[in-house]
């Protein structure tokens, strides 16, 4: 657990990111650099880091119940209670024979007395089963929270990686839209030339103008999507500015499903849930701890004064050992034990459900990668066919053997094929990253840390 946390901290310190959250970087950032910046500056991760630190403090809080406690205080009382007056005079060493002169009347009506008590108290727990179990549970809970934190890091890495790829895809969409606009303008130019030479119809010019307008709209949309993707990546990196990327991504490869299934139950969230089951069992022992007695040592030193605080007209000490055992508590321990056992079975069911969900997600993600890979191959074939079809129709139109409608349809088909190739390529990479995430090997596959298995 500590090793993983150290590795994660080293990863987050790859680059200096102090000023990044205040202003956007002017230079494009690389893939691993973006991940490192996100792990350092993302607000949700920073919040979870604070939450993890808070859970570590619970260990100290639980340990404090097993540590000695020292108290210093000053109390003031004024009373005419006969027994209290006699005791306070005795503690102040002001009791004289004159106090007995009028007995028993002077005892019954002693008058008023004031007392300032300065004391120091030390309490030493010797044995407290409940506090021992609570400390053990706090340590285990901190370990569980550490794995939850690591899993949250992996989720952020997945989102950053997919968003980084999305920016590259948006750039490719712009290239496709620009190419489509360029070809649409060429169609319009040819249509104008043919119309002016009385070889074409004016309706062809109008249709070509419509194609140019639609191509311009697609380019506007592509630019908007690119700007949104850049801003989205900036959000993940903890800034309100858009982020430029170097557009270099790691090589992603697909292994057999057995490889991913061999790692999936080592996912950090599964480990966290396994620890929660263990802690639920400790909860049974905590509920049963009240069956055991508690033993404490107490000692105090007291100073008494009649007129002012921190005085010392008299002094004494009190020391002792205190053993307590609740023989019967109205069946409270019995029902708390039953409740803890129910909570244990609940945690075990959640763990089993999580493992089943992980197994399904890996299975689903693997099939999605295979589907995306096949679609990518088919989109390449479709693009080749669309390019050839557009070339042939263009020649027929220029030879007045086809109407411009066929050219526009062929161009639309070509633009769609180009866009689909870009989309299928991005889908394949995104599905691979999802598969890595679901099987718990994201950092290893992206070469963000050494594979520890």
């Amino acid at each position: 657990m500590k090793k993983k946390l150290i590795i994660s901290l080293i990863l987050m310190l790859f680059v200096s990111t102090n000023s990044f959250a205040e202003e956007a970087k002017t230079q494009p950032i690389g893939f691993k650099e973006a991940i490192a910046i996100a792990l350092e500056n993302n607000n949700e991760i920073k919040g979870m880091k604070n939450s993890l630190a808070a859970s570590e403090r619970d260990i100290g809080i639980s340990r404090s119940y097993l540590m000695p406690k020292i108290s210093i205080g000053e109390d003031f009382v004024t009373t005419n209670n006969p027994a209290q007056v006699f005791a306070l005079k005795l503690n102040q060493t002001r009791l004289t024979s004159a106090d007995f002169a009028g007995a028993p009347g002077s005892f019954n009506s002693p008058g008023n007395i004031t007392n300032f008590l300065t004391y120091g108290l030390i309490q030493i727990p010797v044995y407290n089963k409940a506090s021992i179990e609570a400390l053990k549970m706090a340590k285990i809970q901190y370990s569980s929270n550490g794995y939850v934190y690591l899993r949250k890091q992996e989720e952020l890495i997945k989102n950053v990686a997919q968003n980084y790829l999305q920016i590259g895809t948006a750039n490719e969409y712009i290239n496709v839209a620009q190419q489509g606009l360029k070809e649409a303008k060429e169609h319009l130019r040819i249509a104008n030339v043919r119309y002016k030479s009385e070889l074409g119809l004016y309706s062809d010019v109008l249709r070509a103008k419509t194609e140019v307008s639609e191509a311009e709209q697609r380019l506007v949309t592509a630019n908007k999507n690119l700007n949104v993707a850049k801003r989205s990546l900036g959000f993940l990196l903890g800034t309100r500015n858009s982020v430029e990327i170097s557009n270099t991504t790691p090589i992603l490869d697909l292994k057999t499903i057995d490889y991913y299934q061999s790692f999936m139950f080592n996912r950090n969230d599964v480990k966290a849930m396994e620890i929660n089951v263990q802690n639920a069992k400790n909860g049974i022992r905590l509920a049963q701890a009240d069956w055991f007695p508690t033993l404490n040592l107490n000692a105090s030193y007291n100073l008494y004064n009649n007129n002012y605080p921190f005085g010392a007209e008299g002094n004494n000490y009190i020391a002792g050992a205190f053993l307590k055992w609740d023989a019967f508590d109205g069946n409270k321990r019995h029902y708390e034990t039953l409740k803890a056992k129910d909570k244990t079975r609940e945690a075990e069911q959640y763990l089993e459900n999580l493992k089943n969900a992980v197994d399904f997600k890996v299975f689903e993600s693997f099939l999605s990668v295979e589907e995306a890979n096949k679609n990518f191959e088919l989109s390449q074939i479709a693009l080749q066919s669309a390019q050839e079809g557009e070339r042939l129709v263009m020649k027929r139109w220029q030879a007045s053997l086809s109407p411009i409608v066929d050219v526009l349809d062929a161009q639309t088909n070509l633009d769609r094929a180009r866009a689909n190739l870009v989309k299928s390529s991005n889908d394949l990479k995104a599905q691979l990253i999802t598969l890595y995430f679901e099987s718990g090997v994201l950092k290893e596959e992206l070469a963000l840390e050494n594979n520890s298995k």
Side-chain angles (χ1 to χ4, degrees), residues 182-385:
K182 178 181 177 182
E183 292 172 354
K185 288 181 178 179
E186 178 63 15
H187 295 161
L188 177 59
R189 186 190 67 80
I190 296 174
N192 276 318
V193 170
R194 288 171 57 82
Y195 172 69
K196 290 177 181 179
S197 61
E198 298 183 352
L199 295 175
L201 302 175
Y202 184 65
S203 60
D204 290 350
V205 176
L206 295 177
R207 288 170 178 170
K209 285 184 177 180
T210 301
E211 180 191 13
V212 170
S213 178
E214 291 175 349
E216 288 174 342
Q217 292 175 31
R218 288 192 292 269
L219 182 58
V220 169
T221 300
N223 278 301
K224 184 270 292 185
N225 291 338
L226 175 61
N227 290 329
V228 170
K230 289 179 178 179
R231 184 64 182 270
S232 177
L233 180 60
F235 167 73
L236 293 174
L237 270 56
T239 177
R240 296 180 181 178
N241 300 298
S242 300
V243 176
E244 297 292 337
I245 67 170
S246 63
N247 211 25
T248 56
T249 57
I251 298 175
L252 308 177
D253 64 333
L254 177 65
K255 299 180 177 66
T256 64
I257 192 171
D258 293 338
Y259 169 80
Y260 302 106
Q261 289 176 335
S262 67
F263 282 94
M264 61 185 184
F265 292 144
N266 288 328
R267 269 176 38 167
N268 288 313
D269 54 344
V270 174
K271 290 180 180 178
M273 185 61 72
E274 289 173 343
I275 292 175
N276 287 340
V277 171
Q278 178 186 349
N279 227 16
K281 294 177 180 178
N282 289 331
I284 298 175
R285 288 189 281 272
L286 177 63
Q288 295 172 338
D290 284 344
W291 287 105
F292 294 82
T294 59
L295 176 62
N296 296 281
L297 300 179
N298 290 353
S300 66
Y301 190 78
N302 310 295
L303 302 176
Y304 302 86
N305 193 278
N306 180 51
N307 298 312
Y308 51 85
F310 306 108
E313 290 180 328
N315 62 80
N316 58 47
Y317 73 88
I318 302 174
F322 301 89
L323 178 68
K324 178 185 177 183
W325 180 58
D326 294 326
F328 181 71
D329 63 351
N331 283 329
K332 174 175 173 286
R333 288 170 295 209
H334 172 70
Y335 288 110
E336 285 184 340
T337 301
L338 293 178
K339 177 182 177 180
K341 290 180 178 179
D342 291 335
K343 287 293 183 181
T344 300
R345 287 189 287 269
E346 176 188 4
E348 289 172 342
Q349 292 301 320
Y350 286 147
L351 173 60
E352 189 62 27
N353 182 71
L354 176 60
K355 287 183 175 180
N356 291 337
V358 169
D359 182 70
F360 168 73
K361 283 295 184 180
V362 170
F363 172 78
E364 180 186 35
S365 299
F366 188 83
L367 292 184
S368 295
V369 171
E370 289 186 327
E371 176 192 21
N373 187 52
K374 188 64 176 178
N375 287 339
F376 177 63
E377 293 174 354
L378 293 174
S379 66
Q380 291 174 307
I381 297 173
L383 178 58
Q384 293 175 356
S385 299

Side-chain angles (χ1 to χ4, degrees), residues 25-46:
K25 298 186 70 174
T26 57
Q27 297 297 324
I29 63 174
F31 181 75
K32 289 186 179 180
E33 186 183 5
I35 291 175
I37 292 172
L39 291 174
E40 180 69 18
N41 290 327
N42 181 270
N43 297 107
E44 190 172 7
I45 286 294
K46 288 164 72 173

Side-chain angles (χ1 to χ4, degrees), residues 47-58 142:
M48 284 204 66
K49 189 188 299 184
N50 292 331
S51 176
L52 181 61
S55 69
E56 186 179 17
R57 306 293 183 260
D58 288 335
Y142 171 65

